[in-house]
Amino acid sequence: MYKIAVLGDYDSIYGFAALGLDTFPVTETVESAKTLHRLAAGEYAVIYITEELAARIQSEIEKYKDRMLPAIIQIPGSFGNTGKGVEGVKKSVEQAVGSDILFSGDR
C-alpha cells in the first residue's frame, strides 16, 4: 500500500502528521535532496513538498517529472505562497486534458 509524505521545514509540515501523513522535516539542501530520493525510491506515491524547499532542489525534483510515481506536489509553507504549487498543478492538468481549464477568454 502506498503512502503519502510531506517534506519541508518543521513549522510548515507538523500539522500534516495529525492527518496521518508521514512528515519529514528538513532544512539543509543536501539533506532535503537525499530525503526526496529515499522517499521516491520507497513506498510513497505522493510527496508534498513546500514551495520554498522545492525551489532549492528543483533539479532533483525534475528527475521524477516523467515518472508515474511518485507525484511530487508543491504546497505553500509557513513563509507564504509563491504560486508555484498552483502553477504546477495547472500545467499537469493542461497536459492531461490538452487545454487550459481556467481559460477566461471570450467564447
Side-chain angles (χ1 to χ4, degrees):
M1 184 169 168
Y2 288 115
K3 296 181 181 182
I4 300 173
V6 187
L7 189 63
D9 64 280
Y10 179 81
D11 290 339
S12 297
I13 68 169
Y14 73 92
F16 288 96
L19 299 173
L21 306 181
D22 294 339
T23 57
F24 298 88
V26 290
T27 54
E28 300 296 322
T29 302
V30 173
E31 174 192 14
S32 302
K34 287 180 181 179
T35 303
L36 174 66
H37 294 309
R38 182 170 47 85
L39 297 174
E43 53 201 28
Y44 291 93
V46 177
I47 301 172
Y48 291 107
I49 183 168
T50 59
E51 293 172 335
E52 184 270 331
L53 180 60
R56 290 192 282 141
I57 61 168
Q58 191 60 45
S59 62
E60 300 302 317
I61 293 172
E62 289 293 321
K63 295 176 182 178
Y64 301 98
K65 181 180 175 183
D66 295 327
R67 294 188 187 180
M68 180 72 87
L69 293 177
I72 301 175
I73 303 167
Q74 294 184 39
I75 58 173
S78 61
F79 301 110
N81 184 353
T82 66
K84 291 291 186 183
V86 172
E87 181 182 313
V89 170
K90 184 178 177 227
K91 282 182 183 178
S92 295
V93 170
E94 284 177 11
Q95 189 175 28
V97 223
S99 67
D100 182 356
I101 61 170
L102 298 178
F103 178 72
S104 60
D106 296 328
R107 296 187 211 275

